[in-house]
Amino acid sequence: MRTVNFYSFVIPRVVFMKKYFLSIPIILFPYTLLGALHCLYTGFLMESLFGNNGFLLLGAVVLCAAIAFLFSLLLGALAVAKKWNAKGMALCNMIIKLCQIPAYIAIFVLGVVFGISVLGLPFVAVFFLCDVAAIVTSGLVGASAAYVGFLEGKLLKSDAIIYALCQFIFCIDIIFCILLYVRIRKLPRVSADAYLTPDMSDKFSSS
């Protein structure tokens, strides 16, 4: 009967759960804006929690943005410092970005609706700033995943830079977060020699 080492079984799963626990505030942040709009237009929690003050409501959204930003920095720092698995980080990044798609769609539709009226332009500005904050927080996770993939030897430096930068571009980030996960999952460790032709490899080896 084969015995399983307790630590080798539990520790990887603890690390796995830690990544997704830290990603929860990042995933939820764009939805806090939708929740704030719900409170504003229905009066839910406005009197009991925000004292009917719209600026306090806006401050709560800003606070959620700051928390999401701090958690994204913490997640990236732990991934590099603890040498977390690149595949797991890429999967975590992909889950974050895919889970935020409904929020982005709803905010875009609301932006179009509010943009019809001049009075709605301040709301459009808030929507845009929240979208930027959301893609920055999730982009930091994606950039960390690309960097860990580079450290593991699964991405060349130039490829890691491209994948990292694309995590901060609207719409393109969704495509590249999927491509990053697929590439890290499938490819073994790579080196610069893999991108050299046989003639070039002989030239470098003889020099």
Side-chain angles (χ1 to χ4, degrees):
M1 182 177 179
R2 187 177 67 176
T3 59
V4 179
N5 185 282
F6 176 79
Y7 293 102
S8 64
F9 178 81
V10 173
I11 290 178
R13 285 157 180 79
V14 171
V15 173
F16 178 84
M17 293 304 297
K18 184 184 294 185
K19 280 184 286 194
Y20 294 101
F21 172 76
L22 293 175
S23 68
I24 291 175
I26 305 172
I27 294 174
L28 294 180
F29 164 61
Y31 291 95
T32 60
L33 176 62
L34 300 177
L37 287 173
H38 175 72
C39 292
L40 185 64
Y41 280 91
T42 64
F44 178 69
L45 296 178
M46 282 301 296
E47 183 176 359
S48 59
L49 186 60
F50 301 107
N52 289 323
N53 191 325
F55 290 103
L56 286 180
L57 181 63
L58 182 61
V61 175
V62 174
L63 177 62
C64 291
I67 293 173
F69 181 73
L70 290 176
F71 269 73
S72 64
L73 289 178
L74 180 61
L75 184 57
L78 287 175
V80 175
K82 301 292 185 180
K83 298 181 180 179
W84 284 352
N85 182 269
K87 177 183 174 182
M89 279 298 297
L91 176 61
C92 180
N93 174 56
M94 185 172 67
I95 290 174
I96 290 173
K97 288 187 174 293
L98 292 180
C99 287
Q100 289 181 338
I101 289 178
Y104 280 122
I105 294 175
I107 292 172
F108 175 78
V109 172
L110 289 172
V112 172
V113 173
F114 278 90
I116 296 175
S117 172
V118 176
L119 297 177
L121 292 181
F123 287 93
V124 175
V126 173
F127 296 160
F128 175 75
L129 292 176
C130 285
D131 277 347
V132 171
I135 199 169
V136 168
T137 53
S138 64
L140 289 173
V141 179
S144 300
Y147 182 66
V148 174
F150 165 70
L151 293 180
E152 286 190 5
K154 293 186 175 181
L155 294 174
L156 289 178
K157 183 177 181 180
S158 58
D159 296 334
I161 291 174
I162 292 173
Y163 279 109
L165 291 178
C166 288
Q167 303 301 314
F168 298 93
I169 304 175
F170 286 110
C171 297
I172 294 178
D173 65 319
I174 301 298
I175 299 173
F176 273 81
C177 78
I178 297 173
L179 292 177
L180 177 62
Y181 172 69
V182 171
R183 178 165 182 179
I184 288 180
R185 184 188 65 177
K186 289 186 175 182
L187 288 184
R189 292 179 180 270
V190 298
S191 64
D193 293 340
Y195 289 81
L196 298 177
T197 62
D199 294 338
M200 294 174 66
S201 298
D202 294 339
K203 182 183 298 184
F204 279 100
S205 61
S206 61
S207 57

PDB file of all heavy atoms in Angstrom, residues 181-203:
ATOM      1  N   TYR A 181      -1.544  31.164 -20.669  1.00  0.00           N
ATOM      2  CA  TYR A 181      -1.795  29.920 -19.941  1.00  0.00           C
ATOM      3  C   TYR A 181      -1.550  28.703 -20.819  1.00  0.00           C
ATOM      4  O   TYR A 181      -0.910  27.734 -20.386  1.00  0.00           O
ATOM      5  CB  TYR A 181      -3.228  29.896 -19.412  1.00  0.00           C
ATOM      6  CG  TYR A 181      -3.603  28.567 -18.810  1.00  0.00           C
ATOM      7  CD1 TYR A 181      -3.031  28.144 -17.609  1.00  0.00           C
ATOM      8  CD2 TYR A 181      -4.492  27.717 -19.452  1.00  0.00           C
ATOM      9  CE1 TYR A 181      -3.352  26.910 -17.062  1.00  0.00           C
ATOM     10  CE2 TYR A 181      -4.824  26.482 -18.909  1.00  0.00           C
ATOM     11  CZ  TYR A 181      -4.253  26.085 -17.720  1.00  0.00           C
ATOM     12  OH  TYR A 181      -4.568  24.858 -17.180  1.00  0.00           O
ATOM     13  N   VAL A 182      -2.047  28.759 -22.052  1.00  0.00           N
ATOM     14  CA  VAL A 182      -1.875  27.618 -22.964  1.00  0.00           C
ATOM     15  C   VAL A 182      -0.398  27.370 -23.239  1.00  0.00           C
ATOM     16  O   VAL A 182       0.067  26.223 -23.225  1.00  0.00           O
ATOM     17  CB  VAL A 182      -2.635  27.870 -24.280  1.00  0.00           C
ATOM     18  CG1 VAL A 182      -2.287  26.806 -25.307  1.00  0.00           C
ATOM     19  CG2 VAL A 182      -4.139  27.891 -24.023  1.00  0.00           C
ATOM     20  N   ARG A 183       0.363  28.441 -23.435  1.00  0.00           N
ATOM     21  CA  ARG A 183       1.784  28.276 -23.745  1.00  0.00           C
ATOM     22  C   ARG A 183       2.557  27.733 -22.550  1.00  0.00           C
ATOM     23  O   ARG A 183       3.367  26.817 -22.699  1.00  0.00           O
ATOM     24  CB  ARG A 183       2.383  29.595 -24.185  1.00  0.00           C
ATOM     25  CG  ARG A 183       3.872  29.489 -24.472  1.00  0.00           C
ATOM     26  CD  ARG A 183       4.398  30.658 -25.237  1.00  0.00           C
ATOM     27  NE  ARG A 183       5.821  30.495 -25.519  1.00  0.00           N
ATOM     28  CZ  ARG A 183       6.549  31.350 -26.192  1.00  0.00           C
ATOM     29  NH1 ARG A 183       5.992  32.445 -26.667  1.00  0.00           N
ATOM     30  NH2 ARG A 183       7.827  31.129 -26.409  1.00  0.00           N
ATOM     31  N   ILE A 184       2.311  28.279 -21.370  1.00  0.00           N
ATOM     32  CA  ILE A 184       3.035  27.810 -20.184  1.00  0.00           C
ATOM     33  C   ILE A 184       2.649  26.376 -19.849  1.00  0.00           C
ATOM     34  O   ILE A 184       3.490  25.587 -19.406  1.00  0.00           O
ATOM     35  CB  ILE A 184       2.757  28.750 -18.987  1.00  0.00           C
ATOM     36  CG1 ILE A 184       3.478  30.085 -19.197  1.00  0.00           C
ATOM     37  CG2 ILE A 184       3.207  28.118 -17.678  1.00  0.00           C
ATOM     38  CD1 ILE A 184       3.272  31.077 -18.083  1.00  0.00           C
ATOM     39  N   ARG A 185       1.401  26.029 -20.079  1.00  0.00           N
ATOM     40  CA  ARG A 185       0.954  24.676 -19.761  1.00  0.00           C
ATOM     41  C   ARG A 185       1.562  23.640 -20.694  1.00  0.00           C
ATOM     42  O   ARG A 185       1.936  22.550 -20.250  1.00  0.00           O
ATOM     43  CB  ARG A 185      -0.572  24.596 -19.859  1.00  0.00           C
ATOM     44  CG  ARG A 185      -1.152  23.249 -19.462  1.00  0.00           C
ATOM     45  CD  ARG A 185      -2.622  23.181 -19.756  1.00  0.00           C
ATOM     46  NE  ARG A 185      -2.890  23.253 -21.186  1.00  0.00           N
ATOM     47  CZ  ARG A 185      -4.107  23.161 -21.723  1.00  0.00           C
ATOM     48  NH1 ARG A 185      -5.160  23.024 -20.935  1.00  0.00           N
ATOM     49  NH2 ARG A 185      -4.273  23.236 -23.019  1.00  0.00           N
ATOM     50  N   LYS A 186       1.694  23.985 -21.974  1.00  0.00           N
ATOM     51  CA  LYS A 186       2.119  22.999 -22.962  1.00  0.00           C
ATOM     52  C   LYS A 186       3.624  22.939 -23.167  1.00  0.00           C
ATOM     53  O   LYS A 186       4.187  21.863 -23.375  1.00  0.00           O
ATOM     54  CB  LYS A 186       1.439  23.281 -24.309  1.00  0.00           C
ATOM     55  CG  LYS A 186      -0.045  22.967 -24.313  1.00  0.00           C
ATOM     56  CD  LYS A 186      -0.626  23.121 -25.713  1.00  0.00           C
ATOM     57  CE  LYS A 186      -2.090  22.689 -25.742  1.00  0.00           C
ATOM     58  NZ  LYS A 186      -2.659  22.800 -27.113  1.00  0.00           N
ATOM     59  N   LEU A 187       4.276  24.110 -23.118  1.00  0.00           N
ATOM     60  CA  LEU A 187       5.686  24.130 -23.492  1.00  0.00           C
ATOM     61  C   LEU A 187       6.583  23.721 -22.339  1.00  0.00           C
ATOM     62  O   LEU A 187       6.356  24.099 -21.190  1.00  0.00           O
ATOM     63  CB  LEU A 187       6.089  25.529 -23.959  1.00  0.00           C
ATOM     64  CG  LEU A 187       5.548  25.976 -25.312  1.00  0.00           C
ATOM     65  CD1 LEU A 187       6.113  27.341 -25.661  1.00  0.00           C
ATOM     66  CD2 LEU A 187       5.908  24.978 -26.394  1.00  0.00           C
ATOM     67  N   PRO A 188       7.655  22.956 -22.643  1.00  0.00           N
ATOM     68  CA  PRO A 188       8.678  22.683 -21.632  1.00  0.00           C
ATOM     69  C   PRO A 188       9.568  23.906 -21.484  1.00  0.00           C
ATOM     70  O   PRO A 188       9.337  24.943 -22.109  1.00  0.00           O
ATOM     71  CB  PRO A 188       9.448  21.506 -22.235  1.00  0.00           C
ATOM     72  CG  PRO A 188       9.316  21.718 -23.710  1.00  0.00           C
ATOM     73  CD  PRO A 188       7.924  22.295 -23.907  1.00  0.00           C
ATOM     74  N   ARG A 189      10.585  23.795 -20.658  1.00  0.00           N
ATOM     75  CA  ARG A 189      11.536  24.884 -20.506  1.00  0.00           C
ATOM     76  C   ARG A 189      12.191  25.171 -21.852  1.00  0.00           C
ATOM     77  O   ARG A 189      12.556  24.261 -22.586  1.00  0.00           O
ATOM     78  CB  ARG A 189      12.618  24.526 -19.478  1.00  0.00           C
ATOM     79  CG  ARG A 189      12.081  24.417 -18.066  1.00  0.00           C
ATOM     80  CD  ARG A 189      13.202  24.042 -17.109  1.00  0.00           C
ATOM     81  NE  ARG A 189      12.698  23.942 -15.759  1.00  0.00           N
ATOM     82  CZ  ARG A 189      12.654  24.949 -14.907  1.00  0.00           C
ATOM     83  NH1 ARG A 189      13.098  26.126 -15.282  1.00  0.00           N
ATOM     84  NH2 ARG A 189      12.180  24.804 -13.690  1.00  0.00           N
ATOM     85  N   VAL A 190      12.350  26.450 -22.157  1.00  0.00           N
ATOM     86  CA  VAL A 190      12.958  26.837 -23.426  1.00  0.00           C
ATOM     87  C   VAL A 190      14.207  27.633 -23.147  1.00  0.00           C
ATOM     88  O   VAL A 190      14.430  28.143 -22.062  1.00  0.00           O
ATOM     89  CB  VAL A 190      11.984  27.695 -24.277  1.00  0.00           C
ATOM     90  CG1 VAL A 190      10.746  26.914 -24.621  1.00  0.00           C
ATOM     91  CG2 VAL A 190      11.636  28.989 -23.566  1.00  0.00           C
ATOM     92  N   SER A 191      15.035  27.731 -24.159  1.00  0.00           N
ATOM     93  CA  SER A 191      16.247  28.536 -24.062  1.00  0.00           C
ATOM     94  C   SER A 191      16.423  29.273 -25.372  1.00  0.00           C
ATOM     95  O   SER A 191      15.727  29.019 -26.347  1.00  0.00           O
ATOM     96  CB  SER A 191      17.469  27.649 -23.779  1.00  0.00           C
ATOM     97  OG  SER A 191      17.694  26.769 -24.862  1.00  0.00           O
ATOM     98  N   ALA A 192      17.385  30.164 -25.394  1.00  0.00           N
ATOM     99  CA  ALA A 192      17.621  30.931 -26.613  1.00  0.00           C
ATOM    100  C   ALA A 192      18.053  30.028 -27.761  1.00  0.00           C
ATOM    101  O   ALA A 192      17.819  30.323 -28.925  1.00  0.00           O
ATOM    102  CB  ALA A 192      18.684  31.996 -26.352  1.00  0.00           C
ATOM    103  N   ASP A 193      18.682  28.878 -27.433  1.00  0.00           N
ATOM    104  CA  ASP A 193      19.140  27.967 -28.479  1.00  0.00           C
ATOM    105  C   ASP A 193      17.981  27.413 -29.292  1.00  0.00           C
ATOM    106  O   ASP A 193      18.135  27.045 -30.451  1.00  0.00           O
ATOM    107  CB  ASP A 193      19.916  26.795 -27.860  1.00  0.00           C
ATOM    108  CG  ASP A 193      21.230  27.258 -27.244  1.00  0.00           C
ATOM    109  OD1 ASP A 193      21.693  28.348 -27.631  1.00  0.00           O
ATOM    110  OD2 ASP A 193      21.765  26.549 -26.382  1.00  0.00           O
ATOM    111  N   ALA A 194      16.798  27.361 -28.671  1.00  0.00           N
ATOM    112  CA  ALA A 194      15.649  26.814 -29.386  1.00  0.00           C
ATOM    113  C   ALA A 194      15.210  27.712 -30.529  1.00  0.00           C
ATOM    114  O   ALA A 194      14.512  27.283 -31.434  1.00  0.00           O
ATOM    115  CB  ALA A 194      14.472  26.619 -28.409  1.00  0.00           C
ATOM    116  N   TYR A 195      15.635  28.960 -30.516  1.00  0.00           N
ATOM    117  CA  TYR A 195      15.246  29.921 -31.545  1.00  0.00           C
ATOM    118  C   TYR A 195      16.367  30.148 -32.559  1.00  0.00           C
ATOM    119  O   TYR A 195      16.271  31.017 -33.394  1.00  0.00           O
ATOM    120  CB  TYR A 195      14.861  31.253 -30.885  1.00  0.00           C
ATOM    121  CG  TYR A 195      13.567  31.161 -30.140  1.00  0.00           C
ATOM    122  CD1 TYR A 195      13.530  30.625 -28.859  1.00  0.00           C
ATOM    123  CD2 TYR A 195      12.381  31.592 -30.709  1.00  0.00           C
ATOM    124  CE1 TYR A 195      12.331  30.536 -28.165  1.00  0.00           C
ATOM    125  CE2 TYR A 195      11.181  31.504 -30.017  1.00  0.00           C
ATOM    126  CZ  TYR A 195      11.167  30.969 -28.756  1.00  0.00           C
ATOM    127  OH  TYR A 195       9.987  30.867 -28.056  1.00  0.00           O
ATOM    128  N   LEU A 196      17.450  29.353 -32.478  1.00  0.00           N
ATOM    129  CA  LEU A 196      18.555  29.481 -33.410  1.00  0.00           C
ATOM    130  C   LEU A 196      18.487  28.391 -34.457  1.00  0.00           C
ATOM    131  O   LEU A 196      18.066  27.267 -34.189  1.00  0.00           O
ATOM    132  CB  LEU A 196      19.898  29.376 -32.659  1.00  0.00           C
ATOM    133  CG  LEU A 196      20.179  30.464 -31.607  1.00  0.00           C
ATOM    134  CD1 LEU A 196      21.504  30.169 -30.915  1.00  0.00           C
ATOM    135  CD2 LEU A 196      20.207  31.842 -32.224  1.00  0.00           C
ATOM    136  N   THR A 197      18.897  28.716 -35.658  1.00  0.00           N
ATOM    137  CA  THR A 197      18.973  27.716 -36.714  1.00  0.00           C
ATOM    138  C   THR A 197      20.185  26.833 -36.454  1.00  0.00           C
ATOM    139  O   THR A 197      21.080  27.197 -35.677  1.00  0.00           O
ATOM    140  CB  THR A 197      19.113  28.393 -38.087  1.00  0.00           C
ATOM    141  OG1 THR A 197      20.338  29.134 -38.104  1.00  0.00           O
ATOM    142  CG2 THR A 197      17.953  29.338 -38.345  1.00  0.00           C
ATOM    143  N   PRO A 198      20.267  25.643 -37.052  1.00  0.00           N
ATOM    144  CA  PRO A 198      21.439  24.783 -36.846  1.00  0.00           C
ATOM    145  C   PRO A 198      22.753  25.482 -37.166  1.00  0.00           C
ATOM    146  O   PRO A 198      23.743  25.310 -36.451  1.00  0.00           O
ATOM    147  CB  PRO A 198      21.159  23.604 -37.797  1.00  0.00           C
ATOM    148  CG  PRO A 198      19.666  23.568 -37.916  1.00  0.00           C
ATOM    149  CD  PRO A 198      19.222  24.989 -37.853  1.00  0.00           C
ATOM    150  N   ASP A 199      22.792  26.278 -38.251  1.00  0.00           N
ATOM    151  CA  ASP A 199      24.021  26.977 -38.604  1.00  0.00           C
ATOM    152  C   ASP A 199      24.412  27.983 -37.531  1.00  0.00           C
ATOM    153  O   ASP A 199      25.575  28.110 -37.165  1.00  0.00           O
ATOM    154  CB  ASP A 199      23.860  27.695 -39.948  1.00  0.00           C
ATOM    155  CG  ASP A 199      23.695  26.708 -41.089  1.00  0.00           C
ATOM    156  OD1 ASP A 199      24.122  25.532 -40.919  1.00  0.00           O
ATOM    157  OD2 ASP A 199      23.147  27.092 -42.128  1.00  0.00           O
ATOM    158  N   MET A 200      23.429  28.684 -37.007  1.00  0.00           N
ATOM    159  CA  MET A 200      23.704  29.672 -35.975  1.00  0.00           C
ATOM    160  C   MET A 200      24.145  28.998 -34.689  1.00  0.00           C
ATOM    161  O   MET A 200      25.028  29.472 -33.979  1.00  0.00           O
ATOM    162  CB  MET A 200      22.469  30.539 -35.723  1.00  0.00           C
ATOM    163  CG  MET A 200      22.071  31.420 -36.881  1.00  0.00           C
ATOM    164  SD  MET A 200      20.510  32.293 -36.576  1.00  0.00           S
ATOM    165  CE  MET A 200      20.998  33.353 -35.228  1.00  0.00           C
ATOM    166  N   SER A 201      23.543  27.847 -34.377  1.00  0.00           N
ATOM    167  CA  SER A 201      23.924  27.140 -33.149  1.00  0.00           C
ATOM    168  C   SER A 201      25.368  26.685 -33.225  1.00  0.00           C
ATOM    169  O   SER A 201      26.128  26.786 -32.260  1.00  0.00           O
ATOM    170  CB  SER A 201      22.987  25.922 -32.942  1.00  0.00           C
ATOM    171  OG  SER A 201      21.658  26.352 -32.795  1.00  0.00           O
ATOM    172  N   ASP A 202      25.783  26.170 -34.421  1.00  0.00           N
ATOM    173  CA  ASP A 202      27.165  25.730 -34.587  1.00  0.00           C
ATOM    174  C   ASP A 202      28.116  26.909 -34.445  1.00  0.00           C
ATOM    175  O   ASP A 202      29.191  26.782 -33.866  1.00  0.00           O
ATOM    176  CB  ASP A 202      27.347  25.065 -35.964  1.00  0.00           C
ATOM    177  CG  ASP A 202      26.548  23.768 -36.056  1.00  0.00           C
ATOM    178  OD1 ASP A 202      26.216  23.194 -34.993  1.00  0.00           O
ATOM    179  OD2 ASP A 202      26.235  23.356 -37.187  1.00  0.00           O
ATOM    180  N   LYS A 203      27.701  28.079 -34.969  1.00  0.00           N
ATOM    181  CA  LYS A 203      28.557  29.252 -34.920  1.00  0.00           C
ATOM    182  C   LYS A 203      28.771  29.687 -33.470  1.00  0.00           C
ATOM    183  O   LYS A 203      29.884  29.998 -33.045  1.00  0.00           O
ATOM    184  CB  LYS A 203      27.931  30.382 -35.726  1.00  0.00           C
ATOM    185  CG  LYS A 203      28.796  31.649 -35.775  1.00  0.00           C
ATOM    186  CD  LYS A 203      28.095  32.766 -36.527  1.00  0.00           C
ATOM    187  CE  LYS A 203      27.847  32.361 -37.969  1.00  0.00           C
ATOM    188  NZ  LYS A 203      27.256  33.473 -38.755  1.00  0.00           N
TER     189      LYS A 203
END
